[in-house]
Each structure stands twice: as C-alpha cells, then as structure tokens.
Amino acid sequence: MTVLVAEPQLHGEKDPLPSLQARLACRAGMASTTAGIANGFVQGNLAILPEKLAASFHRFCQLNPKPCPIIGMSDVGDPRIPSLGIDLDIRTDVPRYRVWRDGEVADEPTDIMAHWRDDLVAFVLGCSFSFEEALMADDLPIRHIERKVRVPMYRTNIACHPSGPFAGPMVVSMRPFKPADAIRAVQITSRFPSVHGAPVHLGHPHSIGIKDIAKPDYGDPVPVEADEIPVFWACGVTPQAVIAAAKLPFAITHAPGLMLVTDLRNKQLAVL
Amino acid sequence: MTVLVAEPQLHGEKDPLPSLQARLACRAGMASTTAGIANGFVQGNLAILPEKLAASFHRFCQLNPKPCPIIGMSDVGDPRIPSLGIDLDIRTDVPRYRVWRDGEVADEPTDIMAHWRDDLVAFVLGCSFSFEEALMADDLPIRHIERKVRVPMYRTNIACHPSGPFAGPMVVSMRPFKPADAIRAVQITSRFPSVHGAPVHLGHPHSIGIKDIAKPDYGDPVPVEADEIPVFWACGVTPQAVIAAAKLPFAITHAPGLMLVTDLRNKQLAVL
C-alpha cells in the first residue's frame, strides 16, 4: 500500500480545500460525476467488503497492482481514512454508491449510512484521472475528454492473478495517440505507479482479446485515426468487474465516474 | 555535451580494462566489428571535421540530440579525448575509418595517421549498443542480435534541424517487440538520453516516410511478426548520412559497426 498522508485539509476556516468542498457537496447530496472536480487532487475507486473477504481482496490487489493500486484503506468497521482526508467519512463522501448483492447491483444510493456495518473494510484504489491530468499538463490530447464522453474500456484476455473468490480478466481503458505522443504517454504515466502506471499494451487490440475497438465493454467508443495507436492502461473497473463475477453476497463500490475525492495531490503520486 | 569521466583505464599493470584491450587490438590492426566487444563499456560513433566546420556540426548535434548525442570531443588538432580514455588516440583506436571527400568514401583505412591534421576536431557520439545492453539485461529479445545481422535502419521524413551545411532527414534504427516489451523498451531507453534515449516512433512506418519495412536503407532486414510493433530509435548513422549529403571536401568517420570503444561504462550513462 502506498503510504501517503494528505496535507492539512483546511487552508483556513473560510477557505476549505477544493477536495473537501467536493466531499461536503457529496454529503449535501451532489450525485454527479467527479470528472473535472477539484483539479489537482487524487480521486479514487472504492471497494467495500466484509472483513472475512477483505484479506483475500487485499491480496488480490497486492497481486494485481496495475489494475488495483491501493492508495488508502480503512480499519475494520471504521468509516474514516485519515490518510486520504482527516474529516473523510467513506459512508457519505462519494457522490453515488453501488450496493452489490450476489453479483448484482441492488441499490445505487447517495450515501451508505443504512448499509454500513462494523465488519466492513473500505479500499480506495488509484484512478486514471490522476495520470490524465499529468498527460494534459504535457499537452497530450485525450480523445474522450475532448469529446466529453467516458473513456472506452474493454475486458481483455489478460487474466488477473486470482485470490480466493476474486478472479477474472483485467479491464483496460484506451486512449488513442499519435506514435510520438504514445511514447511520451508511456514516460509520463510510468511516473505514477499508484494510479495504474505505464500502459499494459499498445497497438494490436486482438492480442489482448479485444475483438472490436469500436465496441467497448464499458464507457463510450472514440475513434482511433489511421495514424494513431490505441494505448491501453489497466483500469480501476477491474476490481468492480471481479467483485461482480465473484457473486459475493454483499459488497459496495462507487458508481462508475463518481469517485471519492481525496486530499492527496496528484503531484504527490509521482515517483520521479 | 554529457560531462562524464572514464574510470582509471587500468585495474593493474597486468590487467588492462577490456575497453583498453580493444583499443590496443585496434592499434595492432584489428579491423572487425566491435559488436559484443568489451561488454559493459560505451562504444561511440565518430565524426572528425576541420575546425572551420566543427562549430556548425557541434551546433547540429546540439539541435538534434536524439540522433547526435555527444559523449566526447577533442580539442582542435588534439587526437586525445581523455574523458573517454586517458590513453585514447582517435587516430588509431577505431578498427576502421572512412575518409570522405566531396561526399564520397575515398578511403577506408585502419588508422588515420596519414590523414590527421592540426585543424581537425573529433566528435564521439553515443551508440545504440549501450541501450541494447540495457534491454538485454531486462531480458528483452533483440531480433537482429538473435539473427546475428545488422540492425535495420531507415531514412525517414523527419527533418533534422539544419546548421550550416549540415541538414537532412533523421535516420532511425528499428527493433520489433511485442507490445508489452515495447512499453518496457520505452521505459528502459528513456534512462539513457546520451545514447539516443527513448524511441522517436512506433508502429505506422508510413507516418515517418518508411515505404517498406522489409527494405531498410542501411543494415539488414528483420521480420516484424503479426503480434509485434516496430519500434524506431534515432540512429547514429544520421550524422554520417548528413556529412555525406553535405558533400564536404573532407571528413572522417568510423566505418559502420566498427566503433570507438571507450572506458566509460554503459551504466554510467543512466540518468535514473
């Protein structure tokens, strides 16, 4: 687990951090995408599991750090994750949740006060928003952002290393780039291993089991031009797909695109 | 110019460094490829020009650091380059030279004692042997080495930044890799900017003006399998092609593949 500590969450009483503002908005009922919210701050994927499955899931993340990079986790039954925000309450601070029962989405509430239990453990996993910020800071164009759609995501034939009931294929996100930009994107994202890091594949979609690049399994399609290369990163949807496939009696995740906004800074995640 | 200093050239009187042994062999008449010689030591491309053109060429290298990374240069008229080897004599220590007159190879001697002049300046440029060693150390397969042929090289439509009479297209070398290995190769070679650094292109040969990947302009063809990506690096043949195109009255280079072996260690060139 990446050991990082959030900076103090307040500049001053009248000037809360944008990340805290986002969480306060969530507590007040905001239930829209966090894309573009609190720029500069790390957003995370969420997985909440009963203690008896948490060890297996933790090991699954350990074995599959590219799709499942842990940036924070709670103590058993404790809804706080102070390393990601001193005030943070995982039961209220995500815009919308998914409550899973037997592998199906049973509910999509805006808080999980009614679902919280003393045996639950929350895992927060890195998210591609962080590395997209670094790519854009280097003037690399990101197709799905330009087009204001969701990133296209695909189930692959790359098997995750299984752990207990957690098993299944890696899900990847795809961003098309001209070749020189693809090389630069490899360099930039390599600096951010805790938010998926370097790509896992480029070119040749068939090699990783993607039959039709125009038909993503999640998100929206974007065109790949004739002089571009599709570049594939391990995706934070992987744990959600694995949780669904495991048909667990009970689990909670965030709703896709509606992430936990933390007080960590994206720039803190750079290893170089 | 990368400022590096070679380690002392002798372990002890009876145990000269492999690099010095290679230079001593050259002085004694060895005239074969230096590929695989003195592993671990930096080899360099050579360009020797009259002082009146040296400033323009130096600026050309400054403007085009990926194909022309300078790792050492001599003082005017001085055949020594102590930073690359205290004993080094640029007139004798390369296996075979090319003497250029009006853009044509006029002679290919094994020393240039008869051609040396008080107005000459020698430039030593980084070479892909250094990064290939790093790739192989990471167990990445290098096709042309496996097949014991020369690396395939291509003239591209990427224009070098001109300086005085020095102008022309970048020449690139190509190594095919499976996608995950191509990503790793970008990471590894990014650590070695003084020996061409990260690739300049991958996939889509046509985008950089390569009409037929099976017909390199220099070196030997190697197959690119259906599940592989051709990865292109700026190549040290570029300055030689530019010197030829400039039809200079007089210049000296090494013969391709027969390089200057220095006392620098490849590992010294890693920036990270």
Side-chain angles (χ1 to χ4, degrees), chain A residues 179-180 182-183 186-187 190 198-204 207 226-229 272, chain B residues 179-180 182-183 186-187 190 198-204 207 226-229 272:
Chain A
I183 291 164
V186 171
Q187 293 178 315
S190 293
V200 293
H201 191 74
L202 47 72
H204 300 310
S207 296
D227 60 350
E228 293 178 334
I229 300 249
L272 295 174
Chain B
I183 291 164
V186 170
Q187 293 178 314
S190 293
V200 293
H201 191 73
L202 46 73
H204 300 309
S207 296
D227 60 349
E228 294 179 334
I229 301 249
L272 295 174

Side-chain angles (χ1 to χ4, degrees), chain A residues 77-131:
Chain A
D78 188 343
R80 298 171 304 160
I81 308 180
S83 63
L84 300 182
I86 291 174
D87 67 292
L88 191 151
D89 188 326
I90 204 65
R91 301 169 299 183
T92 55
D93 287 5
V94 167
R96 191 176 289 282
Y97 298 79
R98 284 183 161 180
V99 179
W100 298 78
R101 294 191 191 278
D102 302 320
E104 303 286 335
V105 177
D107 193 7
E108 289 203 311
T110 59
D111 72 67
I112 52 167
M113 296 301 289
H115 298 279
W116 190 255
R117 306 185 329 207
D118 284 348
D119 69 333
L120 295 182
V121 180
F123 295 86
V124 180
L125 310 177
C127 152
S128 59
F129 289 173
S130 296
F131 75 67

Side-chain angles (χ1 to χ4, degrees), chain A residues 100-206:
Chain A
W100 298 78
R101 294 191 191 278
D102 302 320
E104 303 286 335
V105 177
D107 193 7
E108 289 203 311
T110 59
D111 72 67
I112 52 167
M113 296 301 289
H115 298 279
W116 190 255
R117 306 185 329 207
D118 284 348
D119 69 333
L120 295 182
V121 180
F123 295 86
V124 180
L125 310 177
C127 152
S128 59
F129 289 173
S130 296
F131 75 67
E132 287 178 342
E133 181 177 278
L135 295 172
M136 288 187 288
D138 210 69
D139 295 327
L140 297 190
I142 301 183
R143 183 70 35 84
H144 72 272
I145 294 177
E146 291 174 341
R147 295 188 157 230
K148 302 188 199 311
V149 297
R150 292 169 301 169
V151 68
M153 292 165 276
Y154 307 84
R155 275 188 297 272
T156 69
N157 62 12
I158 304 170
C160 291
H161 300 283
S163 172
F166 303 101
M170 187 188 296
V171 176
V172 297
S173 60
M174 188 280 287
R175 294 158 191 82
F177 288 106
K178 290 201 194 311
D181 287 347
I183 291 164
R184 186 75 186 129
V186 171
Q187 293 178 315
I188 292 169
T189 57
S190 293
R191 300 175 62 221
F192 293 93
S194 60
V195 285
H196 305 308
V200 293
H201 191 74
L202 47 72
H204 300 310
H206 285 261

